[in-house]
Amino acid sequence: MTATDWTVPPFGLGTFRLKDQVVRDSVRDALELGYRAIDTAQGYGNEGEIGETIAQSGVKRDDLFITTKIKPDNYSADKLVPSLRESLDKLQMDAVDLTLIHWPAPRGPVSAEEYLGALADAHSQGLTRKIGVSNFTIELLKQARELLGDVPIATNQVEIHPYLQNRKLADFARQEGIHLTSYMTLAVGKVMEDEVLKDIARAHDANPAQVALAWALQQGFSVIPSSTKRDHLASNMKALDLRLSDEDMGRIVALDSQGERLANPASVAPDWD
């Protein structure tokens, strides 16, 4: 089974805030360690470096699952497909595996009908094998499904970590068969200092990052942690082999602080669930 056979891989590398040589090193190390899913975005400003690193890696394109995201400036029908072609040029690929609408921008100048229609057009042209959304609420997901019709939503990439568990959205997605990808699963490092997670980690001969990632994976979410350190990249992968008990999971559920949101740009964020 190659990476491109997956609907959405359970585990990948995030590249938010990684630029220049830093992102080159992170992607190179990740590929050498066995990562085969890479998540980027037009707004990250690193597609070119990622494309160069992949090209130099020797890893076959068919073994990789590459995700990018369309930034709000490119949502209009006359810009979205050309912008994705530009992303593909930077990534040195004929197509990506998954393209997401990065933010819903509900108060922006371009309607969901227009940008989702343009995304579906990119899909029909073969520029992306799958399409999806990011930072969509329950109501926005309902609208997207209606607008996209027969074209499935491969994932909704949203902020989920022990302090913002997004359970209302997660329950809806589970009921409707919509896959979720968790970003910021480690809460920008906060999990490493959490006494509950440290206690659970000790019982499993693990670390708190592995526990937080395993917690998300066991709920069926995909995860895309990032790191600039090779040993952390290797360590994070071990979450795939960590199985938490029901008691462990319950203790983590109790950490939800109902709204400790880290990503919330006013210009493009929705009214959250």
Side-chain angles (χ1 to χ4, degrees):
M1 184 176 185
T2 62
T4 48
D5 292 325
W6 293 325
T7 302
V8 179
F11 195 92
L13 176 73
T15 63
F16 177 50
R17 293 181 177 149
L18 305 186
K19 298 283 185 72
D20 305 321
Q21 192 59 41
V22 172
V23 77
R24 287 188 177 95
D25 291 345
S26 180
V27 172
R28 184 200 64 233
D29 286 344
L31 292 173
E32 289 176 356
L33 289 165
Y35 284 70
R36 290 297 178 262
I38 310 290
D39 179 275
T40 183
Q42 293 176 344
Y44 295 174
N46 60 18
E47 290 172 320
E49 289 84 353
I50 290 172
E52 290 171 12
T53 306
I54 289 172
Q56 295 163 4
S57 72
V59 178
K60 293 179 182 177
R61 173 66 185 93
D62 285 350
D63 291 337
L64 295 170
F65 190 100
I66 307 300
T67 300
T68 195
K69 310 177 197 74
I70 306 295
K71 64 182 179 182
D73 289 349
N74 295 328
Y75 282 0
S76 62
D78 61 332
K79 288 183 178 178
L80 192 147
V81 166
S83 80
L84 182 54
R85 290 187 185 277
E86 186 177 333
S87 291
L88 294 175
D89 287 343
K90 291 176 180 176
L91 289 163
Q92 301 182 35
M93 296 172 185
D94 296 328
V96 286
D97 299 286
L98 176 62
T99 302
L100 308 179
I101 293 296
H102 202 159
W103 287 92
R107 289 165 287 278
V110 182
S111 68
E113 184 174 14
E114 181 173 348
Y115 64 63
L116 288 170
L119 185 63
D121 186 33
H123 178 258
S124 70
Q125 291 186 40
L127 304 177
T128 181
R129 296 185 177 98
K130 305 173 194 299
I131 62 173
V133 295
S134 183
N135 299 298
F136 272 44
T137 61
I138 291 171
E139 288 307 311
L140 290 171
L141 280 176
K142 290 177 179 176
Q143 179 189 36
R145 290 183 95 178
E146 188 174 328
L147 291 171
L148 287 170
D150 293 337
V151 184
I153 296 170
T155 197
N156 180 24
Q157 190 177 117
V158 289
E159 180 180 342
I160 295 176
H161 50 72
Y163 317 107
L164 182 74
Q165 297 184 21
N166 242 325
R167 287 202 288 268
K168 186 177 178 183
L169 173 65
D171 288 345
F172 170 79
R174 198 169 286 116
Q175 290 164 10
E176 296 296 315
I178 299 173
H179 180 266
L180 296 183
T181 297
S182 159
Y183 72 77
M184 288 184 170
T185 318
L186 306 182
V188 196
K190 181 178 176 179
V191 299
M192 299 305 292
E193 305 305 320
D194 190 285
E195 292 302 325
V196 170
L197 296 178
K198 287 199 279 189
D199 189 54
I200 294 170
R202 278 190 291 269
H204 291 275
D205 193 23
N207 65 40
Q210 292 163 351
V211 170
L213 293 169
W215 163 80
L217 288 164
Q218 275 182 228
Q219 294 177 77
F221 308 146
S222 293
V223 295
I224 46 171
S226 66
S227 181
T228 59
K229 295 182 171 62
R230 186 183 178 99
D231 58 340
H232 290 176
L233 290 167
S235 174
N236 287 344
M237 286 186 81
K238 294 179 180 177
L240 288 162
D241 301 319
L242 176 58
R243 190 72 192 171
L244 302 178
S245 69
D246 290 345
E247 181 184 353
D248 295 333
M249 296 291 282
R251 292 179 70 188
I252 298 172
V253 165
L255 296 175
D256 193 354
S257 58
Q258 297 297 325
E260 195 168 326
R261 191 175 295 280
L262 301 170
N264 193 20
S267 60
V268 290
D271 297 322
W272 300 108
D273 293 311

